[in-house]
Amino acid sequence: MSTKLEFIEDRRGTDSMKWDMTEARFGAKDVIPLWVADMDIKAPRPVIDALKDKVEHGIFGYPAPSVKADEAICTWLLNRYSWEVNPESFIYTSGIVPTISHMIQAFTEPGDEVIIQTPVYYPFYDVIEKNGRIILKNSLKRVEDQYEMDYDHLESLITEKTKVLLLSHPHNPVGRVWKQEELEKVAQICKKHDLLVISDEIHADLLFDGQKHIPIASINEDMAMRTLTCLAPSKTFNLAGIQASYAVVIDPNKRLKLKQFIQSTFSSINIFSQAATEAAYRHGEEWLSELMDYIQQNYEFVEQYFKEHMPKIKPIKPEGTYLLWIDFEELGMPEKERNEWLLHEAKVAFNHGPIFGPEGEHFERMNLACSKDTLAKALKQMKQAYDKKGF
C-alpha cells in the first residue's frame, strides 16, 4: 500500500481541465479522462504545507527572488544530473510553453525556420507558426518497437534560414530518454550549423528503471553556451496550475536578452511557485521515487492487459514520462472513426495521435498517472468495445 501517494479518483467539480473540460473538448459524456498531462495524485505533503504557510502569512505583495528556491534547484540539478549550474543562470517563468514562445520571439525573426522532431508535443507547432516562423519537420524513425533520431535527415533540412532546434527531451509523446551518444550527435550538427537549441526538459525527473537523464546543455561547453533549457517541478510534482517553471541560460548575453524580452511582457516571479519549487526539490525525492514505481507498475499492467485481451493494440514501451504512446494500426480503423469509437463506445478520452503530427495517425496518447482502479475501469470499457467490434 502506498505511504506517500494520495489519490483522488474523481476530480469533477474541482475546476479541473482534465475532468471538468472533457465533455466540452471531446463532445462525449461520462468518459474516463486519460488525456491532458496532469495526475490524479495530490502534490507531496511538504509542498502543500509550504503553500499553506504562504496563505496563512496573509500578505501577497510583490515577491523578491528566492535564494532558498535557487539553492534547492541547484542541489536538485547537481544530485540528479551531475549538472553544476550557477543560480545566476536561472530565469523564473510562468510555464514552459510561453517560455518557448518568448525564446523563439527573442532569438529569431519572422520567416526563420525552427526544427521539431515529430511526432511531438502539439503546442510546439503553435509557438512556431503563430509567431510567424517556419516549421521544419525532422520525423523520428520507428525502429521495431522504439524511436530513433534521423540525423541525416536532420542535417539535410538545414538552410541559411534555420535558426533553432526545438528538442523534446525526454520526448513527448514517444517516451524516449535520449542517450549520451544521441545527444552528442545532435550537438555536433548544431555546432556545425550554428543552431540555437531550445530544450524542453520538463519530463526530466520522470524516468523508468535504468534510465538516466542528461541535460543537453551539460554535454560540452559549446552546447552549454548555445542551449536554452526549460525545466519545471510542475510535471514532476503535479503543480501545473501553480505555473512554476524556469529556464537555465548559461550564456550571459543570451540570458540578458531573454530576461529583457520576458520582463517587457510580464513579471515572471510568483510567490506561490517559489514556495512550491523549494519544497518540492528539498523534500520531494522519496515521493517521486514512489510515484515512478507506481507509474511503472501501471505501465506493466496496461501492457499485459492489451497483450491478453486486446492484442491488436500495441503500446510503445516508454523510457520516461507518465505518458503512453499506443499503436492502434492493426485495428484497421481510419483515425477519425477510431477517435469516435474510443469516445462514444469505449468511453475513454485520450490525446488523439494526429494532433502530434501526421506520424501519429495510428496512435493515441494515454496518461498513466492515475490510480490502478481508474486504469482497470478504462481498460475494461475498452475491452467491451473491442469485443463488440469483433477485432
Side-chain angles (χ1 to χ4, degrees):
M1 178 63 67
S2 171
T3 57
K4 298 289 182 184
L5 304 183
E6 299 179 70
F7 291 85
I8 298 179
E9 298 286 347
D10 186 335
R11 294 160 57 196
R12 291 181 180 90
T14 64
D15 298 325
S16 160
M17 177 184 289
K18 182 178 179 181
W19 286 82
D20 291 323
M21 292 296 292
T22 298
E23 183 178 348
R25 184 179 180 94
F26 293 96
K29 292 184 178 181
D30 301 321
V31 298
I32 297 175
L34 298 173
W35 58 292
V36 68
D38 76 3
M39 310 184 208
D40 297 335
I41 305 169
K42 290 185 179 182
R45 187 54 51 178
V47 174
I48 296 171
D49 291 341
L51 291 171
K52 284 181 177 179
D53 288 344
K54 280 294 178 188
V55 170
E56 288 299 325
H57 183 262
I59 296 177
F60 311 116
Y62 297 109
S66 170
V67 173
K68 291 181 179 180
D70 285 349
E71 291 173 347
I73 293 171
C74 287
T75 300
W76 186 264
L77 297 179
L78 182 62
N79 289 346
R80 292 189 74 86
Y81 312 122
S82 303
W83 191 24
E84 189 170 358
V85 179
N86 190 311
E88 291 180 357
S89 300
F90 301 153
I91 301 175
Y92 289 95
T93 64
S94 64
I96 283 185
V97 172
T99 301
I100 294 172
S101 180
H102 290 138
M103 289 172 171
I104 287 171
Q105 292 175 71
F107 293 100
T108 67
E109 300 294 333
D112 284 347
E113 298 166 342
V114 179
I115 298 173
I116 57 176
Q117 295 176 305
T118 53
V120 75
Y121 182 48
Y122 51 90
F124 279 16
Y125 295 89
D126 283 347
V127 297
I128 299 169
E129 292 180 323
K130 290 184 178 179
N131 284 316
R133 278 61 171 176
I134 308 302
I135 290 175
L136 299 181
K137 294 182 181 180
N138 173 225
S139 297
L140 299 176
K141 296 190 296 185
R142 176 86 176 270
V143 180
E144 296 180 352
D145 291 327
Q146 197 51 274
Y147 284 85
E148 297 177 359
M149 293 191 203
D150 188 338
Y151 306 102
D152 292 336
H153 182 252
L154 170 60
E155 193 161 14
S156 74
L157 289 173
I158 299 170
T159 74
E160 62 181 14
K161 289 187 175 182
T162 311
K163 304 301 180 184
V164 174
L165 170 65
L166 177 48
L167 183 69
S168 183
H169 173 41
H171 193 281
N172 174 11
V174 307
R176 276 300 318 277
V177 176
W178 304 120
K179 305 301 185 284
Q180 178 85 22
E181 58 272 20
E182 293 172 308
L183 296 172
E184 287 175 350
K185 289 178 183 178
V186 170
Q188 291 169 3
I189 293 170
C190 291
K191 181 179 181 180
K192 178 179 176 181
H193 297 279
D194 194 25
L195 297 184
L196 181 74
V197 176
I198 299 174
S199 187
D200 176 359
E201 303 188 13
I202 193 171
H203 294 277
D205 301 319
L206 300 166
L207 305 178
F208 279 43
D209 287 348
Q211 300 298 323
K212 178 184 178 183
H213 177 77
I214 302 169
I216 194 168
S218 71
I219 290 290
N220 55 45
E221 183 62 25
D222 179 77
M223 286 306 293
M225 297 299 283
R226 72 171 63 250
T227 300
L228 313 175
T229 305
C230 299
L231 287 159
S234 56
K235 205 63 66 183
T236 307
F237 298 104
N238 210 22
L239 305 174
I242 293 178
Q243 299 182 325
S245 64
Y246 57 97
V248 180
V249 185
I250 306 298
D251 184 331
N253 294 321
K254 291 184 178 68
R255 184 166 65 247
L256 177 61
K257 185 173 183 177
L258 182 60
K259 272 187 176 181
Q260 289 174 337
F261 185 89
I262 289 176
Q263 288 168 356
S264 71
T265 57
F266 71 98
S267 175
S268 59
I269 297 177
N270 179 305
I271 193 170
F272 292 107
S273 72
Q274 289 190 136
T277 296
E278 181 197 352
Y281 283 157
R282 286 196 190 282
H283 307 294
E285 193 152 17
E286 185 178 351
W287 182 95
L288 175 57
S289 177
E290 186 172 339
L291 170 74
M292 289 315 297
D293 286 345
Y294 197 95
I295 297 298
Q296 192 152 330
Q297 290 170 21
N298 273 356
Y299 166 70
E300 291 166 357
F301 171 64
V302 171
E303 179 190 46
Q304 189 62 32
Y305 196 97
F306 281 138
K307 187 178 295 184
E308 290 183 8
H309 302 290
M310 295 176 277
K312 291 186 177 181
I313 302 175
K314 300 184 184 300
I316 303 298
K317 186 174 184 178
E319 297 175 338
T321 83
Y322 54 72
L323 305 168
L324 184 59
W325 194 232
I326 306 175
D327 187 348
F328 286 77
E329 184 172 11
E330 285 190 25
L331 298 188
M333 301 173 75
E335 55 92 3
K336 290 183 180 178
E337 181 183 340
R338 181 184 75 243
N339 189 43
E340 292 295 306
W341 172 70
L342 286 167
L343 287 170
H344 298 287
E345 297 186 44
K347 293 288 187 177
V348 292
F350 299 146
N351 282 114
H352 193 40
I355 67 174
F356 299 92
E359 300 87 351
E361 178 184 1
H362 302 297
F363 290 81
E364 305 288 334
R365 193 190 75 173
M366 179 185 200
N367 185 339
L368 296 173
C370 60
S371 72
K372 186 177 178 182
D373 288 345
T374 297
L375 272 185
K377 183 179 178 182
L379 291 170
K380 182 179 179 180
Q381 290 175 191
M382 287 182 69
K383 181 183 183 301
Q384 290 171 345
Y386 183 97
D387 292 343
K388 184 178 179 180
K389 203 78 172 176
F391 291 120

